[in-house]
Amino acid sequence: MALPFLPGNSFNRNLGKEKFHKSQHFGYSNDISMWLGEEKPGVGGAPLLGQNLKPKFSVFPKGVGSDAPSWVAFDKQVLSFDAYFEEEVHQRREETYRIRQCKIYFYLEDDTIQVVEPEIKNSGIPQGTIIRRHRIPLPAPNDDQFYTVDHLNLNKDIVFYSKIYRIVNCDEFTRNFLRKLGVRINPPDSVPSDAYSSTRKKMEEMQPLRPYERIDTLKQFLEHDRHVLRFFCFWDDTTLFGDSRELVLYYYLADDTVEILEIIPANSGRDTTPVFLHRGKLPKSSPQNVPQPGQVTARTVLNVFGPMGHGGRYILDNLKTGAVHEEFYKDSDLTIGAALNVWGRKVILCDCDEFTKNYYKTKFGIEDFTPVQYKAPQPPRPKKEFPPYNGFGSEADTLCSCMALLPKPPQRDFKKFMEKDRNGLESNVLRFVARLDTDNPIDKERKFIVSYFLSDDTVTVFEPQERNSGMVGGKFLERSRVKKPGQQLFKSELSEYFRPEDLFVGARVNFNGFLFILVDADEYVFNYMERNANEFPMSDISVITSKLRRIGETKSREIKQHFEANDPTGTSHMPYEIFRNLLVDIYANQLTEHEIMTTGRYYSIRDKPEIDLGSLTAIAQEQLKKKSFENFSKLSDVFVYNDQEKNGWLSFQKTLTICKAFKIPLADDFLRVLLEKHTENGDQVNYISLVTGLNWRENPTAAQKTAPVKYDPDWSGQATANAVNNVNVLLLLDDLFGIEK
């Protein structure tokens, strides 16, 4: 018994307490002040009167499990239970209740529950999600709490919103998870059967007692959907007021139907209704015996028990005693040259497309597809003749005015312009040094720069200024397309203009009545022509050597003696001027100056600059950085693993094999040169220095710029730095006549 609450009978409950803080029990929810701290303690953390605080401990000991939050540790982990519930059925004699099976999904990340009923075919019941995913409260009086994993077990009833669900089974993941939690799992139960489910199952297993004929057209549809045979045919309707009709017959393999369209020529005077026969099955015997509506059916029936409505019924006529058989055109009846009866009109098949030919080759083995000629060949179209140039505008303007009623300006070749326009260091301008071909001593000394623009095939001529020459200099010819000489002015055809292959060193060109001799070119011209040797035969070394071999085939000994006489030291090296004069003397002006220069450039002796290791390393790091290759630590580990002597050296072939195994994004020839730079002691590669140099992350190297052939806009014919000084005659004689020494 408790002591009465009187002075002297009560004790001070605050003795020994050190905490006297108060909890916040009130707050705002949707802008309404209300009590929110139902689970918060009273003064000093002590529970209030009648308050049951939830324990703050777990069933697992401290340190067991993951420290991650539940939405991370249990992400995409769901417990699946098989359950059912009973549903009452009213006003039915066959059943009073129905068992409905469902799935209960418990999401471990947030303790939400979802109830889903699998859909049953032809059930007539709206099925699917019964309870959407959310936290479900416990039934009253504990409706302030929610279902957790501890409330779920087999062979147990649970209540979701006043509906009782019976859990009968679960999957293997759920069973293992509950066992790890220490839950004793009950034995599984079975789903009881109801009267309706049993009756439905019996009806599905029941075999029909009366004969049943199944006509299956689904297989043919699935195999040949959108497969259409196309035949080109004609109908000879040459009556008093008729003519020949061109038709196209489509045979649909999916359902054996036929559609015929008419090809209506232009200005024929016919209505624009191309459908000659609507899609449908085409009978063979039409139109002699046209059946009545309802006479031709897919099935026939027999009346066996009198009229309907008085106990009579019909059964299927399995013997087809009263069926009306009608033949329709099939794919086997359609061949080239066959005559079809299209409702009394004789249509002849003349040709077919490639798909139809392949179909008949595969299925019927037909190989002869010779088309039937049903119309006379069309006469050749007369050649369109254009009037001659009238002198107004350009020739292209006159031609465009004859192409359409509304003249349009001539269109430039935009694709060629985009490809051949100046792009960075690629100028796409061919520049030559030219002199006038004249007997005037003053004009002979004049020097000109001829520039040919590849983007639009235009030419400009510029004369550099020279002091005390008496010539003003400057622009000599405005940039424009230049016609070749000797062409008629007023003619119907377009004039021919100078092309890039018409310009080469040694060529004589006529620009608007001025004769020029091209005597030299800049380095870009030689490089461009040699790169595109298929367009410029004067720079094609294979064509030039074949020409030299063909001309000098009968006098090879004489040619050899000429070269030996001009090479007394026997070094087989000859200055270019002597080499050029020898070729001119030997081949008697059968070679152009450009061909001689191309030969000298190809067999020239040039000092190749030595590429240092720093430049190679910088280029390699740039390539690896672009390809995002960073697997240097594993590459070094593989090198150390294969180094059995542990001295930092590996053979060249072994190092190359390892680099290729790691798919280092470097060209094969570049990788070999780089490995040769790190090779010492014969065939040994220092793989430590190699990996250190390639590691652009830890040992970056400044990128070095290369020096390509620069485009100098102020070039006025000066000699370039890459001029040929000496020619290796021995290599030339070896390629021409097989002379080794």
Side-chain angles (χ1 to χ4, degrees):
M1 295 178 60
L3 295 176
F5 191 68
L6 296 174
N9 294 332
S10 62
F11 299 96
N12 189 2
R13 299 181 182 274
N14 295 329
L15 291 177
K17 282 190 177 182
E18 297 179 355
K19 298 180 180 180
F20 297 94
H21 64 276
K22 296 181 180 180
S23 301
Q24 179 68 24
H25 290 264
F26 298 92
Y28 290 90
S29 177
N30 297 328
D31 297 333
I32 299 175
S33 58
M34 57 188 305
W35 184 32
L36 298 178
E38 299 178 358
E39 299 179 356
K40 293 185 178 181
V43 178
L48 298 175
L49 294 176
Q51 186 180 30
N52 294 324
L53 297 179
K54 294 183 179 180
K56 296 184 178 180
F57 56 86
S58 175
V59 295
F60 298 103
K62 190 174 183 181
V64 177
S66 175
D67 294 334
S70 61
W71 54 273
V72 174
F74 299 112
D75 184 29
K76 297 181 180 179
Q77 295 187 13
V78 184
L79 304 183
S80 176
F81 297 91
D82 297 332
Y84 70 90
F85 65 93
E86 292 186 6
E87 182 184 33
E88 294 184 359
V89 179
H90 304 282
Q91 299 179 357
R92 282 185 65 89
R93 182 180 59 183
E94 294 85 359
E95 55 180 347
T96 57
Y97 68 94
R98 184 174 297 174
I99 301 297
R100 299 180 61 176
Q101 303 181 24
C102 58
K103 288 276 189 179
I104 299 177
Y105 298 107
F106 185 87
Y107 295 86
L108 296 171
E109 55 182 343
D110 53 0
D111 292 349
T112 55
I113 298 176
Q114 182 184 14
V115 181
V116 179
E117 182 181 7
E119 295 184 1
I120 301 176
K121 185 178 179 181
N122 298 328
S123 64
I125 304 174
Q127 296 173 321
T129 302
I130 299 177
I131 301 177
R132 62 178 178 84
R133 178 181 172 182
H134 67 287
R135 297 185 67 187
I136 300 178
L138 295 173
N142 299 321
D143 51 356
D144 58 335
Q145 302 177 19
F146 298 93
Y147 277 99
T148 62
V149 68
D150 300 328
H151 297 91
L152 303 177
N153 202 338
L154 302 186
N155 207 356
K156 182 179 180 181
D157 294 336
I158 56 175
V159 180
F160 293 159
Y161 297 113
S162 303
K163 184 176 290 186
I164 302 175
Y165 293 85
R166 179 75 174 183
I167 300 177
V168 295
N169 206 345
C170 64
D171 58 1
E172 193 65 26
F173 171 78
T174 305
R175 193 182 304 274
N176 295 334
F177 187 85
L178 295 177
R179 285 174 180 172
K180 291 180 180 179
L181 291 180
V183 178
R184 181 176 295 177
I185 304 176
N186 299 330
D189 198 358
S190 60
V191 179
S193 60
D194 54 349
Y196 176 77
S197 300
S198 303
T199 306
R200 183 184 178 90
K201 188 175 181 180
K202 291 180 181 179
M203 292 178 63
E204 291 178 354
E205 296 177 355
M206 184 184 302
Q207 297 293 334
L209 299 179
R210 58 185 178 180
Y212 178 74
E213 181 184 6
R214 181 176 181 180
I215 302 176
D216 185 13
T217 58
L218 180 61
K219 180 180 179 181
Q220 181 182 359
F221 173 78
L222 295 177
E223 290 180 353
H224 298 290
D225 185 27
R226 300 188 181 184
H227 292 176
V228 184
L229 306 181
R230 183 172 63 168
F231 292 89
F232 302 98
C233 48
F234 84 102
W235 169 40
D236 189 6
D237 190 26
T238 55
T239 56
L240 182 60
F241 299 102
D243 56 355
S244 180
R245 304 283 190 93
E246 296 184 29
L247 308 173
V248 179
L249 185 143
Y250 295 97
Y251 185 87
Y252 296 88
L253 296 173
D255 52 359
D256 299 328
T257 55
V258 176
E259 181 184 22
I260 301 179
L261 303 181
E262 182 179 1
I263 300 176
I264 302 176
N267 301 324
S268 63
R270 300 184 182 276
D271 295 335
T272 57
T273 54
V275 179
F276 186 80
L277 177 67
H278 284 281
R279 180 177 175 180
K281 289 192 175 184
L282 182 61
K284 293 182 178 181
S285 60
S286 59
Q288 286 80 3
N289 300 319
V290 179
Q292 297 296 326
Q295 186 176 356
V296 179
T297 58
R299 299 177 178 87
T300 58
V301 295
L302 297 176
N303 185 0
V304 294
F305 288 108
M308 292 294 294
H310 299 279
R313 60 188 178 89
Y314 291 95
I315 65 172
L316 187 66
D317 183 9
N318 198 25
L319 301 178
K320 298 183 181 296
T321 56
V324 178
H325 299 282
E326 188 173 7
E327 294 185 1
F328 297 94
Y329 280 105
K330 299 290 185 180
D331 53 352
S332 58
D333 302 323
L334 306 180
T335 56
I336 294 179
L340 305 184
N341 181 14
V342 182
W343 297 101
R345 295 164 179 82
K346 185 179 180 181
V347 176
I348 300 176
L349 305 182
C350 301
D351 200 0
C352 59
D353 58 1
E354 288 298 326
F355 174 78
T356 306
K357 293 178 182 178
N358 296 331
Y359 176 80
Y360 279 93
K361 283 180 184 179
T362 305
K363 185 174 182 180
F364 300 102
I366 300 176
E367 297 291 341
D368 186 14
F369 296 97
T370 305
V372 177
Q373 298 294 335
Y374 62 94
K375 59 182 179 179
Q378 295 183 355
R381 297 184 61 180
K383 184 179 179 181
K384 185 181 293 186
E385 296 182 0
F386 297 100
Y389 174 55
N390 55 15
F392 292 96
S394 63
E395 295 178 351
D397 290 332
T398 303
L399 183 61
C400 289
S401 64
C402 302
M403 299 295 293
L405 185 61
L406 298 177
K408 296 181 180 180
Q411 300 293 329
R412 64 190 302 182
D413 192 349
F414 186 73
K415 180 180 179 181
K416 181 179 179 181
F417 175 78
M418 295 299 295
E419 291 177 353
K420 299 297 183 181
D421 193 23
R422 181 174 180 178
N423 184 13
L425 297 177
E426 284 289 333
S427 62
N428 288 314
V429 179
L430 307 181
R431 295 184 299 176
F432 299 87
V433 181
R435 295 190 182 276
L436 286 172
D437 187 7
T438 180
D439 296 333
N440 190 346
I442 297 177
D443 291 340
K444 276 188 175 182
E445 300 299 326
R446 298 173 66 181
K447 184 170 62 175
F448 300 88
I449 304 298
V450 178
S451 301
Y452 188 93
F453 297 87
L454 297 172
S455 60
D456 54 359
D457 298 330
T458 55
V459 179
T460 180
V461 181
F462 180 82
E463 183 179 4
Q465 295 182 357
E466 295 185 8
R467 299 183 61 182
N468 301 326
S469 64
M471 298 297 173
V472 180
K475 186 182 295 183
F476 186 83
L477 176 64
E478 187 71 28
R479 179 177 176 179
S480 61
R481 298 177 67 190
V482 180
K483 296 181 182 179
K484 292 183 179 180
Q487 302 184 72
Q488 186 180 355
L489 179 59
F490 299 102
K491 60 183 185 302
S492 301
E493 297 81 12
L494 293 176
S495 299
E496 294 184 7
Y497 294 86
F498 277 99
R499 301 288 301 165
E501 55 270 13
D502 299 328
L503 304 182
F504 53 88
V505 178
R508 283 177 167 81
V509 293
N510 187 342
F511 292 160
N512 300 335
F514 293 91
L515 299 178
F516 291 93
I517 301 176
L518 306 183
V519 296
D520 200 1
D522 62 354
E523 185 67 19
Y524 178 80
V525 173
F526 292 108
N527 290 333
Y528 182 85
M529 289 185 173
E530 290 168 2
R531 289 198 310 267
N532 303 275
N534 55 339
E535 302 177 9
F536 301 94
M538 296 296 175
S539 296
D540 193 348
I541 190 62
S542 61
V543 176
I544 297 173
T545 52
S546 300
K547 184 178 180 180
L548 293 174
R549 189 181 300 109
R550 185 181 65 256
I551 297 175
E553 190 173 12
T554 58
K555 46 184 178 179
S556 60
R557 185 179 299 276
E558 181 183 352
I559 294 174
K560 176 185 176 183
Q561 292 175 358
H562 273 77
F563 281 110
E564 288 180 352
N566 288 274
D567 185 20
T569 58
T571 58
S572 69
H573 296 172
M574 185 180 297
Y576 174 75
E577 293 298 331
I578 301 176
F579 172 78
R580 183 253 179 199
N581 295 332
L582 280 175
L583 288 183
V584 172
D585 296 339
I586 294 172
Y587 289 94
N589 296 327
Q590 297 185 22
L591 294 177
T592 62
E593 191 68 27
H594 199 107
E595 291 176 331
I596 297 175
M597 297 178 73
T598 302
T599 307
R601 288 170 57 87
Y602 186 78
Y603 294 101
S604 63
I605 302 172
R606 302 185 185 183
D607 296 333
K608 295 183 179 179
E610 184 69 20
I611 303 178
D612 58 341
L613 181 59
S615 301
L616 291 175
T617 303
I619 296 173
Q621 287 191 3
E622 186 70 19
Q623 294 292 330
L624 297 179
K625 189 175 181 180
K626 287 182 179 179
K627 300 295 183 179
S628 301
F629 182 84
E630 301 180 2
N631 203 5
F632 300 108
S633 59
K634 292 186 178 180
L635 179 63
S636 180
D637 295 341
V638 174
F639 279 138
V640 173
Y641 176 79
N642 287 273
D643 185 9
Q644 298 179 358
E645 299 180 0
K646 307 301 180 183
N647 55 2
W649 299 88
L650 281 176
S651 64
F652 183 89
Q653 190 62 35
K654 190 68 175 178
T655 307
L656 181 63
T657 303
I658 294 174
C659 292
K660 287 184 175 295
F662 273 82
K663 298 181 180 180
I664 297 179
L666 295 176
D668 183 69
D669 53 352
F670 182 82
L671 183 60
R672 290 178 181 272
V673 173
L674 185 62
L675 293 181
E676 290 176 358
K677 291 293 181 180
H678 291 275
T679 302
E680 297 180 10
N681 301 330
D683 192 29
Q684 299 296 317
V685 179
N686 188 350
Y687 62 82
I688 299 177
S689 61
L690 174 64
V691 177
T692 303
L694 294 178
N695 195 342
W696 56 272
R697 279 290 187 186
E698 299 180 358
N699 307 303
T701 304
Q704 299 183 6
K705 296 183 179 180
T706 58
V709 179
K710 289 187 63 177
Y711 171 76
D712 186 9
D714 299 328
W715 181 74
S716 59
Q718 301 90 349
T720 59
N722 297 328
V724 178
N725 296 323
N726 296 305
V727 180
N728 192 339
V729 183
L730 183 61
L731 292 178
L732 174 61
L733 296 177
D734 188 14
D735 291 343
L736 292 180
F737 312 111
I739 301 174
E740 299 181 358
K741 187 174 180 181

